[in-house]
Amino acid sequence: MDTPAFHQGGDTALGFEWPGEDVSRVPFQVYTDHAIYDAEQQRIFQGPTWNLLCVEAEIPNPGDYRTSYVGNAPVIVNRDETGQINALLNRCAHKGSLVCYKPHGNVRELTCVYHNWVYDLTGKLTGVAFKRGVGGKGGLTEDFDPSQHGLRRLRVETYKGIVFGTFSDETPPFVDYIGGELAACIDRVMIKPLKVLGYHSQILPNNWKLYSENTKDSYHASLLHVFHNTFGIVRPSMGGGIKLSPSGWHHLSWTERVALDDQSTTREKVRSLKDQYKLADPSMMAHKLELGDLVTNSIQSVFPGTVIQQIQNCLAVRQLVPRGVDRSELFWTILGFEDDDAEMIEHRLKTNNLVGPAGFISMEDGCVGGWVQHAAQSDPASRTVMPMGGRTIEPSQGSRVTESAVRGFWKAWRECMHV
Amino acid sequence: MDSTTKPPLFQDTTPDALHVRARIEAFNADYANAIDSDRLEEWPRFFTEDGVYRVITRENRERGLPLSLIYATGRGMLSDRITALRTANIFEPHVYCHQISATKLIGRDGNGWRAESNFAVFRTLISGPMIVFVCGRYVDRLVEGDGHLLLAERNCVLDSRQVDTLLVIPV
Ligand code: FES
Ligand SMILES: [Fe+2]
């Protein structure tokens, strides 16, 4: 893989320089610095990146809308009369109020309640209250051009029922952005029209990047989340690996049921392998093969904050929203297929016990980021070290004991941030 | 899920009904006492053998979305939650303090009763910080057990969709 060409000499406006040459060492400052946080909003979330907005099934009819976020920017996603999906900055062009303050609904047009400016579903300003004033006094002057005062539009692309948005004109088309190999991985999971089974939201007491890194950190999976091992659901014949986009920005980590030659799970090193425990009711662990293969887990990231997940029969998309330098909100949208029967829905609802804020194999991700955040504050000049699998950003077949994808995250971060 | 028919404006206040309500309040106190005292192994015994437990957000419930944060059917799944908490899951140690109030006896339901109670749960981390972790309503169906009430179904409906950090101790 090419060595990335980073801007040299740091960024004077930001006052931050990347220490060292590669991305296997990360200064704690990036998790605690307010100037970096602000710059990330512009350069990453509103920069050349695709961000999860929603799934199409949430806005099936003309006039349907829901609110969402791109970074800390509030966004409205709607379907207009022509069937087109629009994504608009949820900020009135007049004085900046939220235009939609309810999370979802069906409307003919978008009305800001503050002074009643009205926009059509594409964001065009169509009405200004009292524009001719009252009794010939007040109102707009002739030089006011409504076409210059619409809601800011995002570019939108829908891929396999998942809706992405970008503020930037420079973002390549979505499939080019993530690359053909990873696009095919979305194809693999999203094989039919989707249905939303419900939502979770989780407040993470940490900088957003700590969660983004965590999703790409396949090294921690069996070490921190010991649910499978504890209950003797040890699966030595598990294959898998890491796929990376050509850019290194996006990844997929997967496991599948195939025989491996070596018993490489280093069982004695895995904390608390307590085979004496058994699940009293293992029904949620059943895996109904529905995707035509034996892949049990597939965790796919789209830089900066999107995760597309298949854990057995639990399908979900996750959206990471920064809420300040040391706080984030993680939105889970749990999915099924439109043609699921009652039994399949019931099964998916049970498998959901594995994930979300109360998930048997995910809850730890809610607190580890906070522990890093807490400790990082004391010494922002120090660095993390990510040596697993070397210093390069390369895919891995057969092993997930690598920090390659995390280094890929930092490559993306540096390229967007120009540091 | 339970019936969504509108509850009566005023609950039955005949002595018999008040007695049932008092028993439900006592039951809830026992339930809270067990959880808040970290006697979590006792928690499944507040349910019938096939009792259903859900922690669901008000948002999902009101939109007719079936997803729960925790969904357990039967004492096996309930006890698995506790075994995992004790042996597998990693989190900063913390305790709950349940406040349960405004119990309303909705009415009879087959061989049991439907009742609703408000709850607020304070969470105190071992490092000190204390927050109102969740508040909302228990939407319950209770049946006669062996001399005391048991939950055939408890839906913990959380007013907020946001869960701070993680949810591991049952509500
Ligand atoms: S802020 Fe929206 S109309 Fe004034
Ligand atoms: Fe994790």
Side-chain angles (χ1 to χ4, degrees), chain A residues 28 39 47 68 106 117 133 163 179 186 196 217 231 234 237 309 323 337 403 419:
Chain A
F28 286 117
S68 188
N106 185 282
W117 284 29
V163 184
I186 302 181
V196 172
D217 174 0
F231 288 99
V234 181
S237 60
Q309 163 207 306
R323 296 285 193 208
F337 293 124
E403 292 172 298
V419 295

Side-chain angles (χ1 to χ4, degrees), chain A residues 153-329:
Chain A
R153 288 176 61 83
L154 286 77
R155 286 166 59 209
V156 173
E157 270 201 50
T158 298
Y159 192 79
K160 299 286 162 181
I162 309 173
V163 184
F164 293 90
T166 181
F167 276 103
S168 168
D169 293 333
E170 277 151 39
T171 319
F174 180 75
V175 171
D176 297 347
Y177 181 69
I178 65 168
E181 189 188 16
L182 289 187
C185 296
I186 302 181
D187 303 350
R188 185 196 146 265
V189 180
M190 305 301 170
I191 55 171
K192 288 186 278 189
L194 300 169
K195 166 157 81 184
V196 172
L197 298 180
Y199 305 97
H200 302 310
S201 119
Q202 186 173 6
I203 296 295
L204 307 173
N206 54 261
N207 186 275
W208 67 273
K209 296 188 290 300
L210 287 165
Y211 187 79
S212 278
E213 286 184 274
N214 177 282
T215 62
K216 297 184 192 237
D217 174 0
S218 49
Y219 176 33
H220 86 282
S222 64
L223 300 168
L224 176 66
H225 310 296
V226 297
F227 177 81
H228 284 95
N229 288 311
T230 300
F231 288 99
I233 313 164
V234 181
R235 306 160 299 175
S237 60
M238 278 284 167
I242 307 289
K243 293 178 204 261
L244 287 168
S245 63
S247 63
W249 286 26
H250 324 287
H251 101 298
L252 175 119
S253 164
W254 88 100
T255 52
E256 60 186 320
R257 253 177 256 274
V258 288
L260 276 181
D261 302 339
D262 64 317
Q263 297 290 313
S264 58
T265 41
T266 57
R267 294 166 58 118
E268 72 282 2
K269 295 262 174 64
V270 174
R271 178 168 39 79
S272 66
L273 180 67
K274 295 169 183 157
D275 284 329
Q276 69 267 32
Y277 295 110
K278 284 225 162 16
L279 286 176
D281 181 349
S283 58
M284 68 169 178
M285 300 307 296
H287 181 193
K288 298 180 195 249
L289 299 177
E290 59 177 334
L291 301 176
D293 57 30
L294 299 175
V295 174
T296 55
N297 286 33
S298 156
I299 306 294
Q300 181 163 8
S301 68
V302 178
F303 182 84
T306 303
V307 178
I308 299 164
Q309 163 207 306
Q310 174 233 337
I311 294 177
Q312 293 161 193
N313 299 109
C314 186
L315 313 180
V317 290
R318 308 180 206 159
Q319 178 195 35
L320 179 60
V321 176
R323 296 285 193 208
V325 72
D326 58 359
R327 195 173 155 88
S328 328
E329 183 165 3

